Amino acid sequence: PLRRAHLYVSVAETLVAHHLYADADIAFAAALSELGPEPVEHDGEWWETWTKILFVRADSLYFQARLDELTNLNQQLDSVLARHGTVEQQAQLYARVRQQRLRQERYRPSHDTVEITRKSIELAQMANNRELAGYEIFALGFLLLWCDDLQGAEEWLDRALHEALSMGHVPLED
């Protein structure tokens, strides 16, 4: 069942990338169905798969601007990741919460949204996920730009570029 759940979430991820959201919703439902109910005893692989499904679902809701559903999903993820999540998953959740809040704030980030991004950077670095940390550093640069903090924005965007070049990460360099 876990392999089939992984397959369905990969299909959903591909469908989201092609903006085929209704078809992706079917794949999400199939992935959760294959996964089955929450295990009685802690099962790391089950939670990892469940989290992956909901992260991809959150991305889909973000692209569709379905903010109420996205907020509820992020709250559900927060509750579960506090008990079962890794530091890296928590960093990924903070990144998604930042995206949700930016939509809600119409890309005029509040102080809280900036702080959420800083926390995501901290967690990504703790998890040694340089790629996620690099993206979050880049995001923080733009948030500061949108907050009219030009000096802070330049500092963080330069840092993001330095990170991208040190990793040879071409998409982040652009």
Side-chain angles (χ1 to χ4, degrees), residues 17-157:
H18 288 90
H19 310 287
L20 300 170
Y21 302 116
D23 293 334
D25 286 344
I26 294 167
F28 289 126
L32 289 170
S33 176
E34 287 293 333
L35 190 59
E38 178 181 335
V40 175
E41 295 182 21
H42 180 75
D43 179 344
E45 191 175 0
W46 189 95
W47 284 110
E48 177 74 27
T49 304
W50 181 87
T51 302
K52 172 71 173 172
I53 294 166
L54 269 59
F55 276 164
V56 175
R57 175 83 174 124
D59 294 342
S60 176
L61 294 172
Y62 169 80
F63 291 128
Q64 297 175 73
R66 293 165 57 182
L67 296 179
D68 290 340
E69 291 172 77
L70 178 58
T71 301
N72 291 337
L73 184 64
N74 282 338
Q75 289 170 347
Q76 181 184 8
L77 279 160
D78 185 41
S79 171
V80 170
L81 292 181
R83 290 178 285 135
H84 300 289
T86 65
V87 172
E88 182 172 358
Q89 289 169 332
Q90 291 170 354
Q92 291 170 336
L93 175 62
Y94 273 85
R96 284 168 173 84
V97 170
R98 171 189 35 82
Q99 289 179 310
Q100 165 209 317
R101 290 178 62 98
L102 280 173
R103 284 262 192 181
Q104 291 167 326
E105 297 165 350
R106 298 177 188 243
Y107 296 90
R108 295 293 300 165
S110 67
H111 173 76
D112 288 345
T113 300
V114 171
E115 291 308 307
I116 285 168
T117 306
R118 291 182 193 279
K119 183 67 175 177
S120 180
I121 293 168
E122 178 187 330
L123 291 168
Q125 290 171 335
M126 285 174 53
N128 293 316
N129 186 330
R130 290 183 67 200
E131 181 178 6
L132 178 58
Y135 275 112
E136 290 304 291
I137 290 167
F138 180 75
L140 180 58
F142 267 93
L143 266 64
L144 295 174
L145 180 66
W146 295 332
C147 290
D148 298 323
D149 179 356
L150 302 183
Q151 183 177 351
E154 182 178 21
E155 175 187 326
W156 284 95
L157 290 170

Side-chain angles (χ1 to χ4, degrees), residues 10-23:
S10 294
V11 168
E13 197 166 24
T14 301
L15 292 166
V16 168
H18 288 90
H19 310 287
L20 300 170
Y21 302 116
D23 293 334

